[in-house]
Amino acid sequence: AGRPAAPANARRTALIATACVMLVLGVHVLFGSVVGRGTLTQGPTILAVQTNLSTSNKIRWEQNEQLRDVTTFLQMSAEGFTEASRAGTPPDLVVWPETMVPGFGLEPATIATLLAGPYYPGAIYADALASLHHRLGVPLLVGSSVYLGLRVNEPDDRWLWDRHHNSAYLVTGEPPYPRYDKLKLTPYGEEMPLVSRWDWLEEQMLAFGAPGMTFDLDAGERIVRFNVPYGAGQHARIVTPICFEDTVGWLCRDLCYERGRKVADLMVNLSNDGWFGWSDTGREHHLLHARLRSIELAVPMLRCANTGLSVLIDDRGRVVTWLPGPANKPAPGQSTIAGTLRAVPQCTDRVTLYGRFGDVWAWIALLATGIMTVVAVRHRAHERSPPQLN
């Protein structure tokens, strides 16, 4: 005796499910190839400065090392700008990775507090960035810590502050500069979910697993979009997901879309991937997440990362340019070199279903899965129940 034939209703159910899957795939293909073409326009020319510091700069970065490293960053920026200008494509924007500006931030009130002491670093780095900005004649987008309400506790000579942010500054014009504060802190890197609600427990766990680290960051409170001029009177609307914010789909959508309408032309991800050490596996995984964000939102992304991978991703998730060479993936172990990447993103007015409607499709799929599961379980239970005897 062979295997019994499947009941007709089971075959019908399988055909309906297959047809639904094919319909959904067909709609996506049609939307992407016909409806979602859009118009491409050339964006600003950007110079990304890839630094190569150990991640220990977030735990211990001595003053002499800070002065030496920032001097190197300034030199790399100036030389990269000059080289690009000689090639006929002067950059419209220079980008540094996450937290590569030492000190307490670029807020005028904070710097006034440091100068009143006087306390290190005073206005050293603020003046250096302002000088570079005026020398090059273009804005600088830099990653920096920010301390608001900075003051000295006189009895024990300790620093106190009201809020501490991981931020991106657009150094342009005169201070105060526009600033974006990171909205979503990285779990287990900048906060411990649930555990961070109890200071004592958090301190004990850090002392056990990451001595020397502190989780004292505050999440930002509002979305900030930078307006960067370029070309003949054009402006690029730039958002800056910081570090692992580019792995959070809903957050990147909130940055790039407002009420279903696209309000950003380019994402610039400032990151510090020195945490991955000598291995490129983690960096490549991070890059894959970034590519998904560009696919979901039809917004190109420039990644500027300490130790790499610094790349330009187009609006369909394809890597257009790698550091050190265009379209050439670095050889194993070569991604962490210090250098500069010149990138010219192609911006588009194309919108996506996810950009318009967000996670509504995921919730519908979850609801449908729940309903189908309940129906299937009840149907199977009905089939297995013994017949009723009259």
Side-chain angles (χ1 to χ4, degrees):
R3 185 177 178 179
N9 60 345
R11 290 196 300 269
R12 184 171 62 253
T13 301
L15 288 173
I16 293 174
T18 302
C20 290
V21 171
M22 296 303 294
L23 177 63
V24 171
L25 290 176
V27 168
H28 278 76
V29 171
L30 179 66
F31 187 89
S33 60
V34 180
V35 181
R37 287 181 177 176
T39 302
L40 291 176
T41 58
Q42 182 170 305
T45 301
I46 304 175
L47 183 74
V49 178
Q50 177 172 296
T51 55
N52 185 20
L53 300 187
S54 166
T55 189
S56 63
N57 81 306
K58 282 198 171 185
I59 301 175
R60 178 176 297 173
W61 198 8
E62 303 295 342
Q63 292 182 13
N64 62 323
E65 296 174 335
Q66 293 175 2
L67 290 167
R68 176 200 65 201
D69 293 335
V70 172
T71 300
T72 300
F73 305 161
L74 294 167
Q75 183 177 357
M76 291 170 60
S77 302
E79 291 178 351
F81 187 91
T82 300
E83 182 179 350
S85 299
R86 288 175 178 172
T89 53
D92 302 294
L93 177 68
V94 175
V95 180
W96 287 12
E98 173 194 11
T99 60
M100 288 300 118
V101 179
F104 295 92
L106 306 179
E107 298 303 309
T110 301
I111 294 173
T113 300
L114 297 173
L115 292 175
Y119 300 104
Y120 175 85
I124 295 174
Y125 301 121
D127 289 346
L129 290 169
S131 176
L132 180 65
H133 160 54
H134 291 299
R135 175 184 171 187
L136 302 182
V138 301
L140 314 176
L141 184 59
V142 298
S144 173
S145 293
V146 171
Y147 293 78
L148 303 178
L150 187 70
R151 59 196 181 276
V152 177
N153 187 36
E154 298 294 346
D156 54 7
D157 202 32
R158 289 188 306 114
W159 286 112
L160 299 176
W161 53 84
D162 297 329
R163 295 185 68 82
H164 176 201
H165 296 291
N166 182 355
S167 305
Y169 276 105
L170 184 67
V171 179
T172 182
E174 300 297 328
Y177 303 124
R179 186 187 86 235
Y180 165 74
D181 301 326
K182 188 176 184 183
L183 294 169
K184 177 64 177 176
L185 302 183
T186 303
Y188 306 105
E190 294 170 331
E191 69 167 352
M192 290 188 185
L194 299 180
V195 174
S196 290
R197 296 182 180 181
W198 296 277
D199 293 340
W200 177 86
L201 181 59
E202 180 184 87
E203 290 171 3
Q204 299 305 310
M205 294 191 68
L206 283 174
F208 174 77
M213 267 193 84
T214 57
F215 286 169
D216 59 354
L217 280 177
D218 296 292
E221 298 177 338
R222 64 189 182 94
I223 290 173
V224 175
R225 302 181 181 97
F226 299 117
N227 197 27
V228 176
Y230 71 100
Q234 297 170 284
H235 288 79
R237 302 166 297 177
I238 296 178
V239 295
T240 53
I242 296 175
C243 192
F244 275 81
E245 283 189 322
D246 66 351
T247 70
V248 184
W250 62 262
L251 173 61
C252 289
R253 176 179 176 266
D254 287 348
L255 292 173
C256 295
Y257 284 76
E258 196 172 85
R259 297 185 181 90
R261 181 173 57 90
K262 183 183 283 189
V263 291
D265 303 306
L266 173 68
M267 290 182 282
V268 176
N269 174 231
L270 311 182
S271 189
N272 183 353
D273 283 356
W275 300 105
F276 298 122
W278 55 268
S279 173
D280 282 344
T281 303
R283 296 183 182 89
E284 292 177 352
H285 193 192
H286 194 177
L287 172 60
L288 288 175
H289 279 279
R291 295 176 64 185
L292 286 174
R293 301 293 83 78
S294 290
I295 294 170
E296 288 176 343
L297 303 170
V299 178
M301 180 188 295
L302 172 71
R303 298 194 70 243
C304 183
N306 177 52
T307 73
L309 295 162
S310 295
V311 302
L312 175 63
I313 306 168
D314 72 7
D315 63 291
R316 296 184 182 272
R318 298 169 295 201
V319 177
V320 177
T321 308
W322 301 77
L323 186 77
N328 295 323
K329 181 179 178 181
Q334 294 297 309
S335 67
T336 58
I337 63 171
T340 57
L341 172 70
R342 186 185 65 83
V344 185
Q346 298 293 313
C347 305
T348 178
D349 57 1
R350 182 170 64 91
V351 298
T352 63
L353 291 176
Y354 182 71
R356 284 189 179 276
F357 304 107
D359 291 315
V360 63
W361 306 112
W363 288 111
I364 291 174
L366 180 61
L367 178 62
T369 301
I371 293 173
M372 292 170 64
T373 301
V374 171
V375 171
V377 169
R378 294 187 63 180
H379 179 70
R380 185 174 292 272
H382 177 73
E383 287 184 337
R384 290 180 176 179
S385 61
Q388 298 293 327
L389 299 177
N390 295 325

